Amino acid sequence: MAIFREFNPIERDRSIEDRRRHRQLTEETIKKNLADILSEESIIGESKDKKIKIPIKGLKEYHFIYGKNMPGFSSGNGSEKRGDKIFSDNSAQGQGKNGAGSDPGEEIYETEVTIEEIIDYLFESLNLPYLEKKKYSEILSENSCKKSGYQKKGIPPRLAKNRTVVEKLKRKQMTKKFMQEAGLDQELGRFPFKEDDLRYFRVKETKKRELNAVVICIMDTSGSMDQTKKYLARSFFFLLYQFVKLKYLNVEVVFIAHSTEAKIVTEKEFFHKVESGGTFISSGYNKALEVIEENYNPNNWNIYAFHVSDGDNFTQDNLRAIDSAKKLCSLCNLFGYTEILPGMFSSNIKKKFAEKIQAKNFVITTILKKEDLWPALKNVLKKDSKEG
Amino acid sequence: MDYTLSDLYTWSEKIEKMAVDCGLEFYPQEFEIVNYDDMLAYEVYLGMPSRYPHWSFGKAYEKLKTLYRYNLTGLPYEMVINSDPCIAYLLKENSLLLQILTIAHVYGHNDFFKNNRLFKIGTDAKYTIESFKNHARTIRSYINDPSIGYENVEMVLNAAHSLKLQIARTVGERKLTQEEIKQKLLDTYNDQHSNYNTLEPPKEIDPPDLTKIPLEPYEDIIYFLMEYGDLTEWQQNLLSIVREETKYFIPQIETKIMNEGWASYWHYRILQKLDLPQSLHLEFIKRHNDVVAPQRGGLNPYYLGFEIYHDLVERYGEDKIFEVRLLDRDESFIRRYLTEDLCAKLNLFEYKKKGSDYVVEEISDELGWEKIRSDLSNNVGMGLIPLIRVTDLNKKDKCLFLEHVYDGRELQCKYAEETLKYIASLWGARVELKTIMDNKKTIISCDEQNKVSIITYAQ
């Protein structure tokens, strides 16, 4: 005779702790794979709430398994013939150059997160103090609200609890008074809230002075900046922009592409433009100075300029570049120079910058491989926190 | 929910009686009716929610949940634990017919657990639940011990999990003592010496090195690390726990097709005899066909097992399959009983990966079926796990030598590298693995700093 026990839920969800730990390890993996994840994202635009799928490749449970020459078996419909292709494994495409997905041991499963979530837990763990917000804009934002008085209808978050209790007490006193007047001499007993007692805050939109910032992205688009480098640069710029955006309500972005000459371009052009020929880094900096002078008065704007290059500059331009960089430092909150995958014969512009530029708000970083992206970013932002 | 608890009692009583009449012999049966979330948790912890904590269970949970959400895999009807009494979980949301079918199915598993040779000698059903609970308790106490802590425990568990299937694979085999192995080696040597062919020039045979560690190639890597490694007591205990729990699961790995086939065969037989009302009968046929449906691109163990038993009954009668369920495991089950006719009936074919395509290698015609049978029997159960053995240990620098017993199937290189890192970190010295890659002798080695290098030798 079998025993049946009716559904007896496990008191505590046993898996919570293991899922939390798994999630934590996943996040660490995401940080490691940041470049891959974010390289496809556009910097400005609607991506805030967009869900992106992240292939989690890092959390494998390794053990000895067979790879090649391992046969598979299936039941068919009888029409199979030797040499037939039954299916094709094309998942290797679009997975980066590792060709992930083609190995039998590969178990990719995806997790869906919004970009905002990624940004949140990335920067949350950074624990950096806010960027310096010394300048106020003259443009007033209309997004802030101010409480002003009460009203009877409203949404729950705006419930004015104290005021509601006061309303109830008022009604209770009134009732008591009325009963005395009517000569009724009994206890009132329980006296519940009535819908009539509820009061909500009335809010008024007000104008408030806001902090404005501009991020100037400067990139070398000469021939030596190949797709891999731009791919890293995009992730780098993306995160910088996201970080600045966390701190300011209004953030504008300017893209400056340069080879021997510099131009203001759209985001798309910025990442896809390829020019032949050499590099004058100074051209990019001068363009930035021009843009600042025309549109972003440093008294009203917090200016963040970042330059990404592979370090390949014409020697005769080095002095001019240093000069312009110094000027940028004097106008910007933060000016960063990031060298991505420098070539063997690069012209040591990084070394020259390090020697000649003493400004506190100047920061130099190097990204040699994908994994360096996150440390490089931290490096840039830490510098700022020191000054802030 | 279209049933009451008393419906289940009524039906299970009929089923149990029928099962006894059919000759099944089982442990006392207990059913627990659980909801969907709890079923997920039971599945992830392999029926033991009291298991020790590790992130891999969290991963399994998320993965399973995703699979269910996207309908990539069906909801489980049941989950049965090899214990005495046998415990089975039934999904509350299932229809009455599914519960009936599942209950019958569970009696099949229960009988299999109690009678199959591998379970009988390899597991101790009476103490199953208690021993899993004890293991979890021990591991939790290490986690709570401030001198050890969660992360240290996790590191050892990660390594232990990566090696858990590298243990002695023959269920119930007695370990020879060092002395017995020495004697065996000496006997072999003496035999070779006294029995040489007088017509051939005498060959120099070296006497065996009786100080070598291990004396002969050794399968059980975890045990070897416990015996000869520099591990603390808690580290040894963790390894030992993971090893013990794996030993409990090996009979299940080794008999997946037989066990599911057996349960499917009996739910089918019992429900046929149950005299189900017309409405339930139609649902029964449909559900049963879903369970044993062929699967494109893979082999459904329920289907394969069911068909083989069915075929055996047709040819030899029901007594035959009782004998089979006593003695066999998937490897021998397929080798002995997958016939040419069955291969053709099931349209079995074998495929291999070529570049990015999967290409049909063999089909079940006169020429191909034997290769399919033999390759399939080598690719079930523990046959799916590469065999890695410890061959030697350099006593000077502690370097550990492993070999992969190559049978034409190559190791997945990246996985081998990462697993070696785990071994090296537990072992605390360099580890070398001999294998064959692209038909070339290859040595993958990992030093104590977790640096991996691969050397390939020309033919």
Side-chain angles (χ1 to χ4, degrees):
Chain A
M1 174 75 200
I3 293 173
F4 280 87
R5 272 189 296 273
E6 212 171 345
F7 165 59
N8 180 16
I10 308 172
E11 318 81 75
R12 204 172 55 85
D13 182 353
R14 163 68 182 85
S15 65
I16 285 178
E17 170 55 21
D18 289 336
R19 282 152 67 198
R20 187 201 60 79
R21 178 63 180 154
H22 172 245
R23 174 118 192 126
Q24 195 181 9
L25 293 168
T26 308
E27 285 170 11
E28 280 166 25
T29 312
I30 291 176
K31 279 178 204 168
K32 268 192 223 142
N33 299 328
L34 263 182
D36 278 345
I37 295 164
L38 298 174
S39 57
E40 298 300 318
E41 290 308 315
S42 74
I43 290 178
I44 9 183
E46 53 347 317
S47 55
K48 191 179 137 214
D49 296 321
K50 193 174 113 193
K51 290 219 178 227
I52 51 174
K53 283 191 174 164
I54 298 180
I56 304 296
K57 288 185 266 176
L59 283 190
K60 283 185 205 133
E61 292 159 81
Y62 291 105
H63 45 257
F64 290 112
I65 54 168
Y66 288 123
K68 266 200 279 179
N69 307 330
M70 167 130 160
F73 302 89
S74 175
S75 35
N77 52 24
S79 68
E80 292 81 9
K81 298 203 176 46
R82 290 181 183 84
D84 279 359
K85 261 188 240 170
I86 44 169
F87 39 82
S88 215
D89 182 10
N90 286 323
S91 57
Q93 290 172 357
Q95 293 273 4
K97 50 189 166 188
N98 305 332
S102 53
D103 294 321
E106 200 68 52
E107 37 169 347
I108 293 182
Y109 66 99
E110 291 175 327
T111 177
E112 248 189 12
V113 293
T114 64
I115 295 205
E116 202 175 26
E117 281 172 310
I118 300 185
I119 305 299
D120 269 2
Y121 61 64
L122 283 181
F123 292 130
E124 189 184 67
S125 63
L126 248 183
N127 217 9
L128 287 174
Y130 275 16
L131 297 180
E132 206 175 351
K133 293 177 176 177
K134 57 190 175 193
K135 295 150 195 165
Y136 286 89
S137 152
E138 299 188 329
I139 306 161
L140 297 175
S141 108
E142 297 192 353
N143 285 4
S144 45
C145 296
K146 203 182 159 192
K147 288 172 190 166
S148 101
Y150 304 99
Q151 59 193 27
K152 282 197 168 184
K153 294 270 180 261
I155 53 173
R158 294 209 183 122
L159 180 69
K161 292 190 189 117
N162 286 339
R163 184 66 184 204
T164 302
V165 173
V166 169
E167 289 299 324
K168 185 182 111 164
L169 285 173
K170 268 159 74 180
R171 190 162 53 80
K172 191 171 174 181
Q173 288 310 327
M174 288 282 283
T175 313
K176 271 191 182 157
K177 203 172 149 200
F178 172 78
M179 279 166 62
Q180 273 169 9
E181 279 170 10
L184 297 165
D185 199 22
Q186 62 206 108
E187 274 297 302
L188 254 180
R190 201 176 146 269
F191 197 81
F193 283 102
K194 283 203 163 162
E195 188 152 0
D196 226 30
D197 299 334
L198 302 183
R199 289 295 179 278
Y200 297 88
F201 291 114
R202 187 202 312 268
V203 292
K204 213 165 95 184
E205 291 196 341
T206 57
K207 297 203 171 187
K208 192 178 145 195
R209 277 148 69 85
E210 256 310 327
L211 302 158
N212 285 344
V214 56
V215 179
I216 303 176
C217 307
I218 310 164
M219 185 163 63
D220 179 356
T221 50
S222 65
S224 62
M225 282 290 287
D226 59 24
Q227 275 311 313
T228 325
K229 292 175 187 173
K230 285 188 188 162
Y231 177 84
L232 280 172
R234 182 198 275 254
S235 313
F236 185 73
F237 281 128
F238 178 80
L239 281 169
L240 280 170
Y241 170 71
Q242 293 294 335
F243 189 70
V244 173
K245 221 173 69 173
L246 274 183
K247 312 297 175 192
Y248 297 93
L249 208 62
N250 255 324
V251 184
E252 293 192 5
V253 204
V254 179
F255 297 99
I256 296 173
H258 74 86
S259 51
T260 50
E261 274 174 54
K263 253 183 262 171
I264 295 180
V265 294
T266 64
E267 183 180 346
K268 200 169 168 217
E269 286 170 327
F270 191 67
F271 290 110
H272 295 287
K273 200 168 144 136
V274 183
E275 280 163 275
S276 55
T279 313
F280 287 156
I281 287 182
S282 67
S283 70
Y285 294 178
N286 290 336
K287 192 70 177 180
L289 290 167
E290 216 180 289
V291 170
I292 293 172
E293 187 171 318
E294 278 172 22
N295 302 321
Y296 302 103
N297 180 346
N299 294 323
N300 303 330
W301 288 85
N302 294 279
I303 303 169
Y304 297 89
F306 302 106
H307 177 220
V308 169
S309 146
D310 58 2
D312 202 7
N313 198 35
F314 276 139
T315 321
Q316 66 263 39
D317 184 60
N318 285 352
L319 283 177
R320 273 180 288 169
I322 291 167
D323 229 37
S324 307
K326 282 182 179 165
K327 277 186 206 150
L328 275 175
C329 289
S330 69
L331 298 175
C332 299
N333 293 41
L334 182 69
F335 176 47
Y337 171 70
T338 299
E339 208 160 88
I340 287 191
L341 302 166
M344 289 281 276
F345 307 104
S346 69
S347 68
N348 268 333
I349 184 79
K350 191 175 100 180
K351 207 172 143 205
K352 295 225 159 56
F353 277 161
E355 279 167 13
K356 305 280 179 181
I357 303 179
Q358 308 303 331
K360 283 180 181 172
N361 59 343
F362 180 62
V363 55
I364 300 176
T365 47
T366 312
I367 300 178
L368 293 174
K369 51 186 186 308
K370 283 192 300 198
E371 290 75 22
D372 294 342
L373 182 73
W374 182 241
L377 249 154
K378 276 209 276 203
N379 196 7
V380 170
L381 300 172
K382 241 181 220 141
K383 179 82 179 182
D384 184 77
S385 74
K386 241 188 292 175
E387 306 308 321
Chain B
M1 216 171 94
D2 60 350
Y3 61 89
T4 63
L5 208 55
S6 76
D7 289 339
L8 296 189
Y9 270 110
T10 319
W11 283 105
S12 104
E13 216 163 331
K14 284 188 203 169
I15 291 166
E16 191 174 327
K17 195 177 163 302
M18 201 68 82
V20 174
D21 290 348
C22 290
L24 297 185
E25 190 213 330
F26 37 82
Y27 298 124
Q29 181 64 52
E30 295 182 6
F31 291 99
E32 192 163 328
I33 301 156
V34 303
N35 71 10
Y36 167 76
D37 283 333
D38 285 331
M39 186 65 111
L40 262 177
Y42 280 125
E43 265 196 296
V44 165
Y45 293 96
L46 301 165
M48 322 274 179
S50 55
R51 274 191 103 179
Y52 60 81
H54 188 258
W55 60 266
S56 58
F57 301 122
K59 173 184 161 183
Y61 188 97
E62 305 290 357
K63 201 170 166 182
L64 207 56
K65 208 165 176 174
T66 311
L67 290 176
Y68 290 148
R69 195 174 53 219
Y70 292 113
N71 250 336
L72 293 174
T73 182
L75 272 172
Y77 292 158
E78 40 78 22
M79 158 109 215
V80 196
I81 299 180
N82 165 28
S83 63
D84 175 11
C86 179
I87 297 173
Y89 305 104
L90 302 178
L91 190 64
K92 188 184 181 191
E93 286 84 354
N94 279 341
S95 66
L96 175 62
L97 181 274
L98 267 179
Q99 303 294 21
I100 296 171
L101 183 140
T102 307
I103 290 169
H105 192 87
V106 165
Y107 277 101
H109 280 311
N110 188 344
D111 166 87
F112 197 87
F113 290 146
K114 192 173 176 190
N115 292 288
N116 177 268
R117 186 179 59 92
L118 300 190
F119 287 91
K120 263 208 287 215
I121 55 179
T123 64
D124 203 340
K126 263 260 176 283
Y127 300 103
T128 297
I129 305 266
E130 205 37 54
S131 83
F132 273 80
K133 277 189 181 156
N134 272 336
H135 292 161
R137 225 171 282 141
T138 309
I139 293 185
R140 289 212 163 85
S141 77
Y142 293 144
I143 288 173
N144 294 329
D145 180 339
S147 70
I148 303 173
Y150 185 86
E151 293 202 358
N152 284 320
V153 168
E154 182 179 74
M155 270 189 318
V156 177
L157 283 180
N158 288 347
H161 282 190
S162 83
L163 291 172
K164 68 181 176 189
L165 290 169
Q166 295 301 330
I167 65 176
R169 13 186 99 194
T170 318
V171 173
E173 189 185 49
R174 188 175 72 90
K175 262 201 166 64
L176 293 178
T177 64
Q178 292 296 304
E179 286 314 309
E180 285 169 322
I181 298 174
K182 278 182 192 167
Q183 196 54 52
K184 199 181 79 180
L185 290 172
L186 282 174
D187 290 349
T188 318
Y189 172 70
N190 290 335
D191 279 357
Q192 282 169 327
H193 243 302
S194 47
N195 294 334
Y196 68 87
N197 189 337
T198 42
L199 292 177
E200 278 174 22
K203 253 194 296 178
E204 271 306 310
I205 305 167
D206 291 329
D209 175 3
L210 297 182
T211 61
K212 197 173 160 270
I213 301 175
L215 284 165
E216 43 182 19
Y218 194 84
E219 277 185 21
D220 196 332
I221 298 181
I222 293 198
Y223 195 76
F224 189 88
L225 295 175
M226 285 162 58
E227 281 283 282
Y228 297 99
D230 284 324
L231 298 173
T232 60
E233 197 191 322
W234 66 266
Q235 288 172 324
Q236 282 186 346
N237 280 343
L238 287 182
L239 290 187
S240 157
I241 286 173
V242 171
R243 184 170 169 274
E244 284 305 312
E245 296 201 353
T246 310
K247 276 167 84 180
Y248 166 82
F249 289 114
I250 282 185
Q252 307 200 14
I253 297 172
E254 285 279 70
T255 60
K256 176 84 180 157
I257 297 167
M258 284 185 73
N259 198 349
E260 293 303 355
W262 184 254
S264 300
Y265 179 83
W266 286 108
H267 80 227
Y268 184 68
R269 292 286 290 135
I270 290 172
L271 263 69
Q272 270 182 330
K273 293 180 180 187
L274 266 184
D275 233 353
L276 292 168
Q278 185 64 22
S279 59
L280 289 182
H281 191 81
L282 283 174
E283 194 188 345
F284 155 54
I285 298 300
K286 183 184 178 311
R287 296 295 188 179
H288 170 75
N289 284 335
D290 286 347
V291 172
V292 299
Q295 176 191 332
R296 182 78 178 151
L299 263 186
N300 176 358
Y302 294 78
Y303 174 54
L304 186 60
F306 179 81
E307 292 290 343
I308 293 180
Y309 286 119
H310 203 80
D311 178 63
L312 284 175
V313 171
E314 264 176 26
R315 291 191 289 140
Y316 305 104
E318 232 164 40
D319 286 351
K320 176 68 182 173
I321 59 172
F322 277 95
E323 175 197 315
V324 168
R325 77 96 156 76
L326 220 57
L327 298 172
D328 280 292
R329 59 198 177 100
D330 284 352
E331 187 265 333
S332 57
F333 184 61
I334 285 166
R335 192 161 35 78
R336 287 182 186 149
Y337 306 119
L338 184 61
T339 60
E340 182 177 357
D341 288 346
L342 255 180
C343 279
K345 183 184 166 204
L346 307 182
N347 293 314
L348 292 186
F349 67 89
E350 179 173 344
Y351 59 86
K352 263 200 184 143
K353 194 169 177 195
K354 300 221 164 110
S356 63
D357 294 327
Y358 291 85
V359 178
V360 175
E361 279 246 314
E362 273 305 340
I363 55 172
S364 292
D365 56 11
E366 269 166 77
L367 298 169
W369 79 273
E370 277 182 303
K371 180 168 165 36
I372 292 181
R373 179 183 65 180
S374 108
D375 286 354
L376 180 59
S377 75
N378 289 331
N379 279 281
V380 292
M382 291 298 283
L384 283 165
I385 314 296
L387 175 57
I388 314 285
R389 308 193 291 191
V390 182
T391 52
D392 205 353
L393 157 63
N394 184 334
K395 285 176 202 137
K396 283 201 196 89
D397 63 1
K398 234 188 122 194
C399 179
L400 186 66
F401 297 92
L402 309 174
E403 68 167 1
H404 162 221
V405 182
Y406 180 77
D407 59 2
R409 293 175 291 180
E410 269 183 28
L411 294 181
Q412 212 272 25
C413 195
K414 170 81 178 149
Y415 272 64
E417 288 173 24
E418 295 298 324
T419 311
L420 282 182
K421 286 185 190 170
Y422 283 128
I423 303 178
S425 66
L426 281 178
W427 181 247
R430 183 182 190 78
V431 179
E432 284 196 12
L433 171 69
K434 214 160 68 175
T435 181
I436 290 178
M437 299 256 169
D438 288 323
N439 285 319
K440 288 187 195 103
K441 205 179 124 193
T442 302
I443 290 182
I444 311 175
S445 75
C446 177
D447 66 17
E448 61 273 30
Q449 263 90 47
N450 266 348
K451 285 242 160 37
V452 174
S453 53
I454 302 178
I455 309 163
T456 312
Y457 297 89
Q459 279 296 57

